[in-house]
Amino acid sequence: MFILEKPYVSNLLKETLNKIELPVLGNKVAHEVFEDRSISLNTEREFVEAYNQDNTQPVYSNSENAIDWIDNNLTSGDLSQKIRSFKDKSAFRDMVRDMYPEFFYRTVKFEDLDSVKPEELPIPCVIKPSVGFFSLGVHMVESIEGWHQAVDEIKNEVEQIKTMYPAKVLELDNFIIEQCIEGEEFAVDAYFDKEGNPVIINILGHLFASSDDVSDRCYITSTEIINKHHDEFLNLLQEIGKRARLKNFPIHIELRTDGRGNLGVIEVNPMRFAGWCVTDLAHFAYGINPYEYFMGGLKPDWDKISGCCDGKVYAMVIGEIDSTVDRSKIKSVDYEGFKANFSKPLELREIDYREHPVFAFIFAEVDAENMAELQKMLHADFTQYLNME
């Protein structure tokens, strides 16, 4: 079963839903997406009835914007409870507390941020919304002065952020302060099958421009990354799935590893793989259709895939718009200029910059020996591609 929501529905997802005969909720987004396509959409009543016939069946949404609708309509099972146990970062920390007994975290109400004494915090630390998305409202704190600066910036950001996403996706009443998790950062697209066994669809390495960078500008995947980390990440997923009793459930998990077997979970995003349909990178890199694999209970043959993709790195780069830019004054975007940064672009997705602080997503293939192409993107000023009034 599929629920489509903003901010983005990819061509791969559209084509998949045209090909497979599974219920798709006929909400506003779905009708807009398929207005020129021959696909049968379910009314809300039909969709709920189909779910109630078997509330253990797999449900996928491309966006956490669907959480509110699920809470109000898919009430016969425990889907809402499972989503909340991950979406609320404080609830998730409580669930895995004994796995990380020394890990510091603290939940603070937005109006109480000024009363926090930074000298009592394990600096460096991270502060972020307890329920959040897309690095919005996330700040790295590396000093006492940095704490006060972060609080001031959060206050300025809150009102703007509220206009961008529904309350269920980004709740700004509570923030969580966490100690920094050291190590290399990764994001994993995975699902739990009908027996509760985890299946990894893709592993993405998160590239950063500096130690205080918290942006999502660039992720990469390669068979080298998969082969190196697959088994240890799978073991972690098995433990999380057992605690949350997950079956037929997709997740996007972000974590860090110190390379010595110590894994720290940053957060788990439920009900979906990588947001904005970025999970499609698995299709471009390895021929894996994430939606078909989840719905069909399919498992990637990583040994076979490794023989086809050695020496290649597949990247996703976000064309971010700096918060200082007045997006209402952007006349156009030089998409070809942005695309020209990549020796082998695979797909360029133009995004409505009037609605989002992003003008594009791009997938690209690079030789593993040519990582400088991607490192350059980490430090690039993307305002050069914005034509202003």
Side-chain angles (χ1 to χ4, degrees), residues 137-384:
V138 178
H139 290 267
M140 180 76 71
V141 177
E142 297 189 316
S143 66
I144 290 177
E145 296 76 16
W147 166 262
H148 295 299
Q149 180 181 350
V151 170
D152 288 341
E153 291 178 358
I154 287 170
K155 290 178 180 178
N156 292 330
E157 292 169 355
V158 162
E159 291 307 315
Q160 179 184 1
I161 291 174
K162 283 182 177 178
T163 67
M164 297 169 60
Y165 294 95
K168 289 284 184 179
V169 175
L170 199 71
E171 297 176 11
L172 299 168
D173 295 332
N174 294 297
F175 281 73
I176 185 169
I177 305 166
E178 300 178 340
Q179 72 180 70
C180 286
I181 300 173
E182 301 298 328
E184 194 174 359
E185 184 170 318
F186 294 90
V188 182
D189 283 343
Y191 74 87
F192 294 84
D193 65 18
K194 63 183 180 180
E195 306 297 333
N197 301 308
V199 176
I200 291 177
I201 296 298
N202 201 3
I203 299 176
L204 302 160
H206 192 173
L207 302 186
F208 294 100
S210 63
S211 61
D212 60 351
D213 181 13
V214 295
S215 74
D216 292 316
R217 179 173 286 200
C218 184
Y219 286 86
I220 61 171
T221 186
S222 68
T223 54
E224 180 183 2
I225 290 174
I226 302 288
N227 294 334
K228 182 177 180 179
H229 298 288
H230 180 277
D231 290 351
E232 63 173 345
F233 292 175
L234 193 70
N235 290 336
L236 174 65
L237 289 169
Q238 286 174 333
E239 180 62 31
I240 292 174
K242 181 174 66 176
R243 288 166 181 255
R245 301 187 302 278
L246 301 180
K247 293 182 179 180
N248 284 333
F249 195 83
I251 64 169
H252 177 74
I253 180 171
E254 299 175 11
L255 52 86
R256 286 184 182 265
T257 173
D258 63 3
R260 300 188 298 275
N262 298 312
L263 302 179
V265 178
I266 300 171
E267 64 183 37
V268 181
N269 297 290
M271 198 182 58
R272 63 171 175 85
F273 300 135
W276 288 71
C277 291
V278 168
T279 189
D280 295 1
L281 185 59
H283 171 72
F284 289 95
Y286 310 123
I288 294 170
N289 184 318
Y291 318 108
E292 290 185 345
Y293 270 60
F294 171 46
M295 289 295 164
L298 305 176
K299 299 181 180 181
D301 185 344
W302 290 115
D303 290 337
K304 182 178 180 180
I305 291 170
S306 293
C308 303
C309 309
D310 285 345
K312 300 295 182 182
V313 172
Y314 301 88
M316 182 282 299
V317 177
I318 302 176
E320 304 168 308
I321 300 176
D322 191 89
S323 59
T324 61
V325 174
D326 183 349
R327 302 202 309 275
S328 67
K329 294 184 178 180
I330 299 175
K331 292 193 300 182
S332 62
V333 174
D334 180 9
Y335 287 109
E336 289 304 312
F338 178 61
K339 186 177 178 181
N341 287 293
F342 304 92
S343 55
K344 189 174 180 180
L346 301 173
E347 180 175 90
L348 174 69
R349 297 175 172 178
E350 299 181 9
I351 304 299
D352 185 352
Y353 49 80
R354 295 176 183 83
E355 189 172 352
H356 305 285
V358 173
F359 65 84
F361 287 78
I362 192 166
F363 295 152
E365 176 187 310
V366 301
D367 291 330
E369 299 176 353
N370 188 30
M371 288 296 291
E373 182 174 303
L374 298 178
Q375 292 293 336
K376 179 182 176 183
M377 290 295 93
L378 296 177
H379 302 276
D381 179 6
F382 289 163
T383 58
Q384 63 183 300

